[in-house]
Amino acid sequence: MKTRYTHGGDEHIYVEMDDEMSLDAFFKSLSMSNAVRDADIEGVTEICPANASFQVKFDPDVISPDKMMERIRKLEHKADDADKRLKTRIIEIPIYYQDPWTHETLMRFRERHQDPNGTDLDYAARINGFDSAEAFIEAHHSQPWFVSMVGFVAGLPFLYQLVERDKQLQVPKYLRPRTDTPKQTVGYGGCFSCIYSVRGAGGYQMFGITPMTIFDPTQQVSYLRDFMVFFKPGDIVKWKPINRTEYDRILAEVEAGTYAPRIAEVDFDLDAFNADMTGTNAKLMEALNDA
C-alpha cells in the first residue's frame, strides 16, 4: 500500500491509505488518524476517519496547507506500526427483511434499476449465485459485520462483512439514484451494507428495515441521550432477522423509551481474525449470546 496525500482546497488534507477497503487499510488509517489527534497540531479543527482514509480540517490562518501536509506526513510511521487490536462492542441489530415499506419504494423506482422485473433481493441473489432471495438473506445475516466508517449522511454506518474476500457479497448501486428511501432502510452497494439514518435520496439496493433508531438529533431516544449518533468506527454488527410482529414490538419500545440494544464488549484482533475467520466470528457471536 502506498499512502497518498492531497489538498482539499485551503482547509483540508486528505490521506488515502489504499485504493480499496480492507481491514488492514482500516487499521492503518485509524492508527494514523489517532496519531494526528494525539499530536495536537495547532490549527486542526476536525479529523474525519473513513473506510481506508481520513481527512483533516484545519484553519489556514493558523497553519499553512503546505506546513500541515508536512506535519501529517511525518506521522506516517505510526500507520506502519498500527495496533491491529481493538477494544470494541458487538451489537445485535434487528432487521425485517422483505418489509412492505422498502418493497413499495423499490417498486416505485424500478425504471432506475438493473432488473425492472424483480426486486432488489431477487437481483442480489441472482448475481451472487444464490438460488433464492432467502438464501441470499441467510448469507447476509449469518456472519458479523465491521463498521468501517460513519458519515456521508449523519449517523449512517458503512459495514464490511467479516468473511474471506472471495465470499464477499457484492451488488452494484441503482443505475440512477432514487429520490426516496425509508428511514432505517438496510441497504447494500458494492461490498458495503449500510443503514439509512434518515429518509431521503439513495442508490443502494434495499433489503429490509430496522425498527431501531440510529440517529436522533433531539437525543430523546433512551440509548442516544449521551450522543445523537449510535455507531462508531470499529463497532461490530450482527443482524437478527425479525418478522412484522417483532418489528412492531421493538418499534413501540423504541418510541416508549424502553428499548435497550443488545450489546457485548469484545476484543477484536486482526491477526487472529485473518488466521481463523470462522473461529473468530464464532467467538464474537458467542459473546453476544452471553450478553
Side-chain angles (χ1 to χ4, degrees):
M1 291 186 287
K2 181 174 176 57
T3 307
R4 287 199 293 268
Y5 300 83
T6 53
H7 289 285
D10 293 332
E11 299 181 352
H12 298 87
I13 302 291
Y14 180 60
V15 183
E16 190 173 10
M17 311 308 295
D18 201 353
D19 291 329
E20 61 183 20
M21 168 59 192
S22 69
L23 290 175
D24 283 299
F26 168 83
F27 274 91
K28 285 180 177 291
S29 175
L30 180 66
S31 182
M32 192 171 173
S33 61
N34 285 340
V36 173
R37 184 175 290 106
D38 294 341
D40 196 22
I41 303 170
E42 187 177 7
V44 171
T45 58
E46 189 174 0
I47 301 169
C48 181
N51 294 316
S53 61
F54 66 95
Q55 185 167 271
V56 178
K57 188 176 188 298
F58 61 93
D59 184 347
D61 292 330
V62 175
I63 183 170
S64 71
D66 289 341
K67 186 66 174 178
M68 177 58 72
M69 178 81 79
E70 179 185 349
R71 292 289 303 275
I72 293 174
R73 280 181 176 273
K74 287 181 178 179
L75 296 170
E76 186 171 337
H77 68 280
K78 298 286 188 179
D80 295 330
D81 300 326
D83 186 354
K84 297 181 181 180
R85 293 168 298 178
L86 186 67
K87 286 190 176 297
T88 185
R89 57 184 183 167
I90 183 168
I91 308 152
E92 184 177 84
I93 302 296
I95 172 175
Y96 180 14
Y97 290 102
Q98 298 176 304
D99 67 281
W101 307 286
T102 60
H103 181 77
E104 184 278 330
T105 303
L106 67 86
M107 295 308 293
R108 270 194 285 133
F109 292 95
R110 291 328 282 169
E111 80 283 356
R112 304 184 183 211
H113 196 272
Q114 292 87 347
D115 180 7
N117 298 315
T119 68
D120 292 8
L121 272 167
D122 292 335
Y123 172 71
R126 187 176 73 254
I127 66 171
N128 281 276
F130 292 94
D131 294 333
S132 65
E134 288 72 22
F136 180 87
I137 289 171
E138 174 69 24
H140 186 263
H141 73 73
S142 62
Q143 298 297 328
W145 294 71
F146 191 92
V147 177
S148 56
M149 68 170 280
V150 179
F152 185 72
V153 175
L156 184 151
F158 287 81
L159 303 107
Y160 180 85
Q161 194 172 29
L162 293 174
V163 296
E164 295 89 342
R165 183 158 292 246
D166 62 356
K167 294 182 180 178
Q168 289 283 342
L169 303 172
Q170 296 189 49
V171 186
K173 293 188 263 187
Y174 274 43
L175 297 174
R176 290 186 294 129
R178 301 177 301 275
T179 56
D180 189 24
T181 308
K183 178 183 177 182
Q184 291 157 212
T185 290
V186 175
Y188 209 104
C191 65
F192 287 102
S193 200
C194 80
I195 304 173
Y196 283 77
S197 53
V198 297
R199 182 179 181 181
Y204 276 24
Q205 309 284 334
M206 294 183 289
F207 296 163
I209 197 165
T210 177
M212 183 178 153
T213 298
I214 62 167
F215 171 63
D216 177 22
T218 68
Q219 294 180 246
Q220 296 301 304
V221 173
S222 56
Y223 53 86
L224 294 176
R225 285 176 185 151
D226 291 335
F227 191 55
M228 67 181 72
V229 172
F230 180 74
F231 288 105
K232 54 190 175 185
D235 280 343
I236 297 170
V237 165
K238 177 65 176 72
W239 304 111
K240 180 188 178 183
I242 58 173
N243 57 27
R244 176 62 186 270
T245 300
E246 292 171 302
Y247 176 90
D248 290 343
R249 175 183 59 79
I250 294 172
L251 183 61
E253 290 180 5
V254 172
E255 292 174 345
T258 60
Y259 184 71
R262 194 175 181 191
I263 299 171
E265 300 299 318
V266 294
D267 293 318
F268 182 82
D269 185 317
L270 181 57
D271 289 335
F273 172 75
N274 286 332
D276 182 9
M277 295 186 185
T278 301
T280 299
N281 286 350
K283 289 179 182 177
L284 290 170
M285 292 185 286
E286 183 180 349
L288 188 57
N289 290 335
D290 293 340

